[in-house]
Amino acid sequence: MHPFSISRATDPETAIAAHVQDPYLAFIAGGTDLIGLMKDHAALPERLLDINTLPGLARIEALPDGGLRIGALARMSDVAGNAEVRRRFPMIAESLLFAASGQLRNMGSMGGTIMQRTRCAYFRDEDGLPCNKRRPGSGCSALHGLNRNHAIFGWSDDCVATNPSDVAVAFAALDANVIVRGRGGERSIPFTEFHVLPGNTPERDNVLDRGDLILAIAVPARIEGRTSYYLKVRDRQSYEFALVSTAAAVAIGGGRIRSARLAMGGVAHKPWRLTAAEAALQGLSLEDIDTLKAAIATSFTDARPLAHNAFKVELAQRAALRALQIAGART
């Protein structure tokens, strides 16, 4: 295990300043991902700053307008069990219950779960094989290696890894915002812009800079929120990461889709919005399966499967259809 020291943050401003000044310092809350990365020597901070005692960051607030503000230090299990979360946005609760194990959900923070790093074996295993996330410029072993679990959208020759967070998919579908405080003050980052595609800098997973501290995730009120569902397809029903997953939210009127919101996990370096399908689904009947399939397929024209994951293209479309049907049945 990489040696480190640990101290406790007393207030956000001091924590932010320490993170800016010390490139070998990392924030820690639940630590469920960070400690694993340190054991794998994929992250090597020399100092950890425990932020669990920062005030007000564990609250789950049901806002009067129908939205939510979920504190970054709220535990995954607390959010999944919250009555207003389950009532207003059931797919948020479902995505959390599909994630990890009960013990990990009791420890994992909401800020941490959206910051999870990829589960690509070439990144996680300390075997010396090329990995641009571990050693920029060394190459991507998965590009022509074992890539069954890897991306079909948005990948580059430098990285074909996928984002592992389940709840991030739900937040992307709902146009949530990440509330961040940094050295320049507080700002709101649209969730669809929070994570980044690998391009030629795959070592970067998101847009955060040194000193940036996640305060909360804000979920706006949405007419589709209550009729939503999260579907996760994985190799086993117990604790496992997604081959593909879908967050679907739909508003129905007169037996037809008024609006739909779809995002997918397990298919890209970030949660992947099916914006073309969302537009094509408007006005369609949930009973017209062939038309629904055709609408969903419009978001897969730019899919680029790798040598071992072409099955994901059809599997993802089937998952999107099924999630849409289940969400629609909740009206």
Side-chain angles (χ1 to χ4, degrees):
M1 182 69 177
H2 176 69
F4 62 91
S5 63
I6 187 164
S7 58
R8 180 167 292 174
T10 55
D11 62 85
E13 289 73 21
T14 303
I16 290 166
H19 198 258
V20 169
Q21 294 164 8
D22 186 350
Y24 297 102
L25 180 144
F27 294 139
I28 187 168
T32 55
D33 192 40
L34 178 59
I35 297 301
L37 290 167
M38 292 169 66
K39 288 180 178 179
D40 293 335
H41 287 179
L44 300 173
E46 296 180 1
R47 285 164 288 281
L48 299 182
L49 185 59
D50 183 348
I51 61 173
N52 283 297
T53 56
L54 293 181
L57 299 190
R59 286 200 297 263
I60 305 167
E61 300 176 72
L63 303 177
D65 66 356
L68 295 171
R69 183 181 171 100
I70 301 171
L73 293 179
R75 270 21 192 189
M76 296 166 65
S77 56
D78 291 335
V79 178
N82 183 275
E84 285 302 311
V85 173
R86 297 170 71 91
R87 185 174 70 88
R88 298 182 184 197
F89 303 100
M91 72 177 176
I92 293 178
E94 289 162 350
S95 67
L96 290 166
L97 291 173
F98 273 124
S101 63
Q103 296 92 331
L104 289 173
R105 291 195 297 270
N106 287 339
M107 283 295 295
S109 69
M110 292 300 293
T113 193
I114 67 170
M115 290 278 289
Q116 286 182 82
R117 305 206 70 191
T118 185
R119 306 307 298 194
C120 173
Y122 296 106
F123 170 67
R124 291 280 174 164
D125 295 342
E126 192 186 6
D127 53 14
L129 291 174
C131 174
N132 286 319
K133 277 187 172 296
R134 272 185 178 259
R135 294 171 292 277
S138 64
C140 175
S141 292
L143 180 62
H144 300 295
L146 299 176
N147 49 42
R148 176 178 180 267
N149 296 331
H150 290 67
I152 60 173
F153 291 111
W155 55 266
S156 71
D157 287 348
D158 288 326
C159 184
V160 296
T162 57
N163 183 288
S165 176
D166 289 295
V167 76
V169 183
F171 286 145
L174 293 167
D175 284 329
N177 292 280
V178 184
I179 312 302
V180 174
R181 185 181 299 174
R183 47 188 157 184
E186 189 170 312
R187 67 191 192 277
S188 178
I189 304 169
F191 207 91
T192 52
E193 299 173 14
F194 179 74
H195 299 96
V196 296
L197 293 177
N200 58 7
T201 56
E203 68 275 13
R204 285 185 64 88
D205 294 325
N206 54 62
V207 298
L208 296 186
D209 293 320
R210 295 298 303 176
D212 282 340
L213 175 69
I214 299 175
L215 303 180
I217 298 99
V219 186
R222 299 217 61 91
I223 190 173
E224 308 94 343
R226 297 193 184 194
T227 48
S228 63
Y229 182 72
Y230 184 76
L231 176 67
K232 183 174 182 178
V233 181
R234 46 191 172 172
D235 284 328
R236 58 182 182 181
Q237 281 299 101
S238 60
Y239 175 26
E240 183 60 276
F241 295 92
L243 284 172
V244 300
S245 65
T246 305
V250 60
I252 304 293
R256 294 187 175 273
I257 297 172
R258 293 171 55 193
S259 59
R261 313 195 70 78
L262 293 169
M264 299 213 73
V267 296
H269 200 255
K270 59 185 292 184
W272 196 258
R273 276 289 289 274
L274 304 185
T275 52
E278 290 173 357
L281 286 165
Q282 290 186 29
L284 301 186
S285 168
L286 281 174
E287 303 300 320
D288 191 345
I289 303 302
D290 289 339
T291 307
L292 294 176
K293 287 180 178 178
I296 291 169
T298 62
S299 278
F300 286 81
T301 57
D302 56 350
R304 294 187 297 149
L306 299 160
H308 304 296
N309 70 359
F311 71 94
K312 279 193 178 188
V313 177
E314 182 178 354
L315 181 63
Q317 292 179 70
R318 290 186 179 189
L321 174 63
R322 185 61 179 152
L324 187 69
Q325 291 174 313
I326 295 174
R330 290 179 164 176
T331 54

